[in-house]
Structure formats: structure tokens, C-alpha cells
Amino acid sequence: MALLGLALLPIGLIAMVQTYRVIDNADEVARAALIGHTVNAVTDQREALVQMRGAARIAAEIVATSLEDQDACSANMVRFTRRFPSVSFAGYVDNDGLVRCASSGIGTDLSDNPVYRRWISEDAGFFASSQGAVSGMPVVSVVEPVRIDGRSIGFFGVSIPQAPLNIGSEEAGIESPLATLTMTRTGEVLSLASAASMTDILPLLPDFDRFRGAIFGGARQIVEEGPDGRSYIYTTVPIIPGEIFAMSIWRSSAVSTGGLTAASAILFPLLMWLVSIGVAYFAVHRLVVRHIRQLRLRIRAFTTTRRVLPFRDGGDLPSELREVVEAFEQLTERILRDEADLENSLHEKDVLLKEVHHRVKNNLQLISSMMNMQLRKTTSEETRSLIRRLQDRVLGLATIHRNLYRANVLSRVDSAQLIADLVDQITANADVSDGAIDLQTDIQSVALYPDQAVPLSLLVTETLTNAFKYVGSQKDERPWIKLGLTESEGTVTLCCENSLGPRFAGDAGLGASGLGSQLMQAFVMQLDGRMTVRESEGRHTVTLVFDTSEFTDEL
């Protein structure tokens, strides 16, 4: 997804640049629309003034021929104002500034009027804006010279009152201006169209001297910050170039880009990126992830329970993953077949080993039976004692093989069961009556390899046989034998004790050959242990300590 986002970064940047360009173009169109609204508002007034200039030129020629009859001249002026309802005053003013012929105000002295002074200095036709000397209202004056034989004798003047301009916006996305003003070149306000008063609008006007060149240079737009800290848009359109212009004041929100903002320039690439990421994730999940999850479940099920779950691909599994699934199925089939073969071979091995242990046990018992036959024919007590000792050793080996034959795991021997069987066997073969000797056993269950179980069992046989042979008692005490096997942190301790005193066993009078001690030392060496023998306070103690071999899990 990160790589996909990086790949889409150039497209996002292009989209941002294009969006900003669209916003700029939309702003330019909106600003042009604001100027267009102001131009449309002053078009009628401008055309009326141009029309009035032509009418004033014709009227100036007529006045030059009718000055002798002032009543007729004034009547013509009245008819002129009626002909053009927008005209509030029409009249002839001589070179001295007196109104000689007019629709009203005949005899008024205009020598101090700025229009008169401008005409004296220019002696040409012009437009002028001022406060009407006769009407007292803000007016636009159209001045045309009256000439006789090429000599100026005065001027014909027409006053047109300045009505407020109404700029209403009928287009969607453009609101009406806060105010629309007509102003003179000196900054004098001639008319105002606004819901607010003049005192509320004047603080919003820009610095007139600073923007005079821009204002009278044609249709313009100025963006300034008002006294309230907000941004305002000022559109100016000349009504009479160099004389009168119209100004509209708009809020900055009047320029609407149809919902396109700087935030949308970032939002659109971000949305595009998110959608592409979603599509990529859906595609990856649809074609790859869900199949890999299903394959993972099959692998887990196989590794834990050896179950092979069916694979449902829905027909849209990519060829690469299909090959992986087929390889997994072949692998599981091969593993199951190999495991079955291994289980069969292990089963056969166990059967064979058990059969071997069983046959060895039977052969050892057969040897023991042959020794019994020999015992019955032998009359020498010493010979009988030696055969009986040898028989105990043979039966001890048979006991080991019997335990191995019965064990579920042939590589481990339960020492508790093994020693219990040996104790029962040696007790049964001992030449003592029941209850004559107090035999106490404390055997813990310790798992041993057969390599350790065999010498341990033979060592127990020799030790316990010697204990029965040399057990005795003091006075009227009952003779006793104690046998214990304990294990702690991998160390096994075998302890065999018997009471000392006058010999109790039937063969007590026979001498020792020393073979048992030699065998015990050999068994201790096989166990890699340490054996101690001591006698104290009427007891004989044999102690063996050795370490158990660590088991490794079988496969």
C-alpha cells in the first residue's frame, strides 16, 4: 500500500495543481462577473449621458438663433426637459455666468460655480459633476459652447440628477454588493445605494488618493482589508472617463468557486488515494490473503491433528497459489504415507522386541527350572547354596525381561515394579518362615533405561540376598531388613539395611566365597555410581548413589 501511495503521488500532485488552477480560474471568472455587474449597472446611465451630449450640441445651435426672444428660448428649454424626463435643468449661461434662458432659475448667477469656472478655462464641451446650483442635488452637467460666427457667447448646460445605481445579482453563487456609489474625480459621493447609512459605508472606502490612477484607468477590481479586519472587494467602472465613476463594495465571500476550495485540492487526491488503497486491499484480499489464510488453517490443522481439510478456492485462485496448494497436498500425502510406514515399522519393532524379551524370560526360567532339578539331586548343602544363589541371579534377569515385555515403552523400565517383583522372588526363595523377618520396603517409581535397570536389578538381588543371608537379631528382638530407593533431581539412592546378631538364615554356617562382592562392585561400575558399606550399632548398611541417564523423546 505504501508503494501504491508513492506511485499515486505524482497523480495526486497533478490533481492538486489542476484543482488550484481551477480555483484560480473560478476566482477570476467570479471577479470578472463582479465587474460585469457593475458595468451593466452603469451602461444605461452612460448611454443616456452620451445621448444627452448629442442633444445638448443640437440644442446649443438652436439657442444661438433664439436668444433675441428670451421667452421663446425659455419655452424651448422647458420643452427640452419634458422631452428628456431625466433632465432636471436645461438653460443658457452667458459669459458673465448669468442664466439668461432656462427651464428654471432664470437670472441665477453661476459665476462662482465650478462648472462655469471650468468652462471659462476650457471653452469646450465637457461633462462635469457637481451640486446643482438650481436644484441643489448631485448632478452631472453636460456643457456645450454656444457660438455665433465662431465666437463663444456662453454655454448650454444640462443637469442630470444622479440616482443611486441598483446592482442586483441574479446569478447563482454571486451575492449582491454591500453598497454601490457614484463618485466624482475628487472623491465626492454623488449617490449611494445601500441598506446601510452613509456613515456606515464611508469607513469601508479605500484610500482615494492611493488608488486614483487605478480608479480612473478603466474597469478595475481592488481587494483591500477594511477597518474591521475583513477583506472586501471594490469594483470600479467609469461612467464619464475622468469625471464620474461607479464603485461597488462586495464581501470577499461574494466570489464563490462553486464549492471548490483549497481544502478540496487536498481532499480530492486524498480521497483518490484512499479509494485506490481500498481497491488494492480488496483485490489483494480477494485474490491472495483469504486463500493464504485458508492455507494457513489447513497447515495448522495438519500439524496439530494430522487432519487434511478441504480447500475451497471458489474458482478465482491464482495459478501461483494453486501450485502452492497442490504442493502442500502432495506433501501432506507423502508425510501421512511415510508416517504410516514408520508406525508400521515401529509396531513391528515393538512386537519383535517384546517377543525377544519374552523368549529370553522363558529361556531364563527354563534355566532356573533346570537348576531346580539339579537342586533336588544334590545332597551337598554348599552346592545347594551356590546353585540357589545362581538361580536367584538368573531369576533376577528373567524378572527384568518380564517387566520389559509388559512395558508400554520398551526403552523405559519402572524401577518400583521391577524391585517389587525382585523382592517377592527373593523372599519366596529365602529359607525363612513367614513373618520370621520384618521386611520393610520404600521404593519410589524411577524411570530407567534397560542399560541401568539390568545392573541395578542384579545389584538389588545380590544386596537383598546377602541381607537375608547375614540378618540376625539381639536377644529376643525380631530380625529386620529395610530396602529403599529414592530419587532427587536426577540422583538415585539405593539403601539396604539389615539387623546384626546371631545368624538367622538356614545357611548361616556356610562360609562366604566373595563372588557376590565382586559382582556388586562390577554392577556399581556399570552404573557409574558410588557404594558405601558400613556396620554400626547392630546394623549393616549398603548405600548406592548414581545418576540417571537423561531420556530423549522418541519420534
Side-chain angles (χ1 to χ4, degrees), residues 12 51 81 86 120 202 249 257 487 499 512:
Q51 181 185 12
T81 56
S86 60
I120 290 297
L202 287 179
I249 304 175
T257 57
E487 189 267 339
S499 59

Side-chain angles (χ1 to χ4, degrees), residues 280-351:
Y281 177 78
F282 175 78
V284 172
H285 182 273
R286 177 75 180 174
L287 298 176
V288 179
V289 174
R290 67 188 186 99
H291 300 302
I292 293 179
R293 286 179 178 174
Q294 189 175 357
L295 182 59
R296 180 185 62 187
L297 293 176
R298 297 185 68 196
I299 293 175
R300 285 184 176 178
F302 180 76
T303 54
T304 55
T305 62
R306 285 297 185 268
R307 289 189 303 124
V308 180
L309 300 178
F311 190 84
R312 298 180 295 274
D313 59 354
D316 57 353
L317 183 65
S319 58
E320 294 82 358
L321 290 179
R322 187 180 300 278
E323 292 177 359
V324 173
V325 173
E326 292 176 355
F328 171 73
E329 291 177 349
Q330 293 175 2
L331 179 64
T332 55
E333 182 180 356
R334 183 176 301 174
I335 290 175
L336 292 176
R337 184 173 61 251
D338 293 344
E339 287 182 348
D341 294 340
L342 288 175
E343 288 180 357
N344 291 334
S345 62
L346 287 174
H347 179 69
E348 292 177 359
K349 183 194 71 172
D350 291 342
V351 171

Side-chain angles (χ1 to χ4, degrees), residues 49-50 52-53 118 125-129 140-143 240 243:
L49 291 176
V50 172
M52 193 55 58
R53 169 175 279 183
R118 180 178 174 184
F126 60 86
F127 289 98
S129 60
V140 174
S141 298
V142 182
V143 176
I240 300 176
E243 293 291 340

Side-chain angles (χ1 to χ4, degrees), residues 185-196:
R185 61 180 178 179
T186 60
E188 181 182 1
V189 178
L190 298 178
S191 65
L192 170 68
S194 173

Side-chain angles (χ1 to χ4, degrees), residues 59-233:
E61 295 178 358
I62 295 175
V63 168
T65 61
S66 61
L67 288 177
E68 296 178 356
D69 187 355
Q70 292 187 357
D71 292 337
C73 180
S74 297
N76 288 333
M77 298 300 139
V78 172
R79 285 194 294 272
F80 186 90
T81 56
R82 291 175 180 174
R83 173 93 165 92
F84 300 100
S86 60
V87 176
S88 63
F89 171 81
Y92 164 71
V93 182
D94 61 14
N95 288 334
D96 295 329
L98 295 176
V99 178
R100 297 295 185 181
C101 173
S103 59
S104 61
I106 299 174
T108 303
D109 186 2
L110 300 180
S111 56
D112 294 331
N113 191 280
V115 176
Y116 171 76
R117 290 196 297 271
R118 180 178 174 184
W119 179 81
I120 290 297
S121 63
E122 296 182 6
D123 190 19
F126 60 86
F127 289 98
S129 60
S130 63
Q131 293 289 333
V134 178
S135 64
M137 297 174 58
V139 296
V140 174
S141 298
V142 182
V143 176
E144 288 293 335
V146 178
R147 303 180 189 276
I148 297 178
D149 298 330
R151 181 176 60 86
S152 296
I153 60 174
F155 66 87
F156 175 76
V158 177
S159 297
I160 304 173
Q162 282 296 293
L165 297 176
N166 183 16
I167 301 180
S169 175
E170 298 179 355
E171 296 183 11
I174 299 180
E175 59 185 32
S176 299
L178 296 174
T180 302
L181 306 92
T182 56
M183 304 179 69
T184 66
R185 61 180 178 179
T186 60
E188 181 182 1
V189 178
L190 298 178
S191 65
L192 170 68
S194 173
S197 62
M198 180 70 73
T199 56
D200 296 331
I201 296 300
L202 287 179
L204 301 180
L205 295 179
D207 186 353
F208 189 79
D209 295 333
R210 178 182 174 191
F211 295 101
R212 183 185 298 273
I215 290 174
F216 290 100
R220 292 288 187 273
Q221 185 178 104
I222 304 170
V223 180
E224 279 288 303
E225 183 176 332
D228 55 358
R230 298 179 180 178
S231 180
Y232 294 93
I233 301 175

